[in-house]
Amino acid sequence: MMKAALNFLLALMLPGAVLAAPAQPFDAATVARGKYLATASDCMACHTAHHGQPMAGGLVMSSPVGEIVSTNITPSREHGIGKYTAQQFSDAVRKGVRADGQMLYPAMPYTAYARMTDADVNAMYAYFMQGVPAVDRPTTPTSLPFPMNIRLSMKAWNALFLDQQPLRPEPQRSAQWLRGQYLAEGAAHCSTCHTPRGALMQEDKTRHLSGAQVGPWYAPNITSHPVAGIGAWTEAEVVQYLQTGRVAGKAQAAGSMAEAISLSFSHLEPGDLRAIAVYIKSLPPSVGHGDQSAGPSRFEQGKAGNALDKIRGVPYQENIKGANLGAQVFSANCASCHGASGQGTSDAYYPSLFHNSATVNTNNLLATILLGVDRKTADGHVFMPPFGDQVNAVNHLSDTEVAALANYMLVQFGPGQAAATVTPEAVAQVRQGGPQSNLLTLARAGMVLGALAVALLIVFILRRRKRAGAN
Ligand code: HEC
Ligand code: HEC
Ligand code: HEC
């Protein structure tokens, strides 16, 4: 009675909104913890369209088998996950099963989230139900071509590749290492980008974190190999990279890594970032596809230099015709920020282009030139304009110009003449979203086989049912 009277009085004092608010079954601490975990999991990166409302979905993601659209995961009852129970939410996040029982495509990284504990997934549920504003807007449904439109085929894929076991107990490890493993292998899903994939697009566990192509960018080897990986980085440098996206003289984050740092890693508690660094640094060394295993690491290559003596005093029209095209394009478009000799600025805001992992990996060099860098952290907004911009003609470089520029940089600041093999066709490929590997064709064939296997299985089950019915 007393409580009801008190509530009534309170309701009189607090107008409108409070009276209309739905029941609040979760306490604020759980919702806050759920928000932190959702940030660590970077749900935002995929479930928010460019300039769209947070978590309202609609981001179109290209996959080897067609375009997949992320869904609205705000608590909208009609268009979002407002009707999801905690169990249904957990099944979607960790098993890839939607509330209506349909299978999700693994573009949603449930294979990593499967590592998360019940308590953490429930806290995320509390956050999504109570901390995310509902957006009552539908998203375009995903429609993949046959046989990928048979979502049931994902059952076969999951049976093969979804590991639902919790992480193996490792009692000899420190609490810090275990926390790092839990975050890196679960919420932060490093392996979905840094681990190469097999013929059926599954992560190749035997080459864990040894580097993989993700769209136009290459997520490099981050095992502890001193030459092929990041064995030469200190723990503090890994923390700094995840927090700010920059370690002077080693690497900067652009593309999907910049996005993950802006939206997710830069918001993690320093203790959690240290734990991730401790875990990552402890991984066994591995040499990934195309990695050098001896000699200087990718952070130790190249030196300052320029070809100004060749292009100075020669008419521009002459320079852009011959072998000096790369040097001319560099001088006209890049030197203003990165220095005439690629030395960068002393505060490293404009990084040096030698001793820079991006000048060693041709794909990332091309992606940087075409797509630029855009990253927001507590350190500020880091921005390099894209030069592949078709609309803004001032910044536009052609495939031939970009190829010449990349080759100039690979010789001047990178591994040297032998690496300078970039063709305009390779540039066009990155412009179109990344190299199409023959894995994709294989994957397609594999998917057809997988779907056939599922179809056979269904026929088999139906037969058995019929027989059972006949008996
Ligand atoms: C790498 C991209 C990516 C990330 C990160 C991601 N999702 Fe998804 N998610 C998707 C895509 C794509 C779909 C739709 C897949 C489909 O249609 O099969 C999806 C579907 C879902 C669904 C099913 C909704 C429905 O009914 O259709 C839920 C629930 C969901 N995600 C929750 C989450 C949560 C919670 C997180 C963070 C812990 C998260 N997702 C992170 C890409 C992502
Ligand atoms: C969404 C994809 C994605 C996820 C998730 C991701 N990375 Fe990355 N990572 C990349 C890409 C792409 C690059 C290359 C960026 C560049 O050179 O501008 C990169 C670069 C890096 C580098 C720099 C390596 C070098 O030599 O330049 C480190 C270190 C790194 N990632 C660590 C991690 C860790 C640790 C995690 C998980 C906590 C993680 N990444 C999660 C895509 C990702
Ligand atoms: C307006 C200044 C500006 C211009 C012009 C510019 N850059 Fe940059 N560049 C930057 C900034 C800022 C960064 C990011 C630094 C960071 O991530 O901390 C960057 C980063 C890079 C990186 C490293 C990217 C990575 O992912 O690691 C490369 C390579 C690069 N620039 C090459 C070029 C080339 C080639 C040109 C000319 C076509 C160019 N830049 C023109 C400002 C500029």
Side-chain angles (χ1 to χ4, degrees), residues 179-259:
R179 174 73 178 161
Q181 181 199 35
Y182 177 70
L183 287 170
E185 300 296 347
H189 61 277
C190 318
S191 72
T192 52
C193 295
H194 285 274
T195 298
R197 292 184 183 257
L200 292 176
M201 301 311 292
Q202 82 281 16
E203 283 174 26
D204 180 352
K205 296 288 178 201
T206 61
R207 296 192 289 153
H208 194 52
L209 300 177
S210 71
Q213 189 71 31
V214 266
W217 298 91
Y218 188 77
N221 184 333
I222 55 168
T223 71
S224 60
H225 196 286
V227 173
I230 57 170
W233 292 38
T234 64
E235 241 161 64
E237 284 173 333
V238 178
V239 171
Q240 186 193 331
Y241 185 84
L242 294 175
Q243 205 157 41
T244 68
R246 166 164 40 202
V247 176
K250 289 206 163 69
Q252 316 75 35
S256 45
M257 189 65 194
E259 196 172 63

Side-chain angles (χ1 to χ4, degrees), residues 308-316 319:
L308 288 174
D309 56 329
K310 293 201 191 103
I311 57 172
R312 269 196 189 134
V314 181
Y316 179 81
N319 272 336

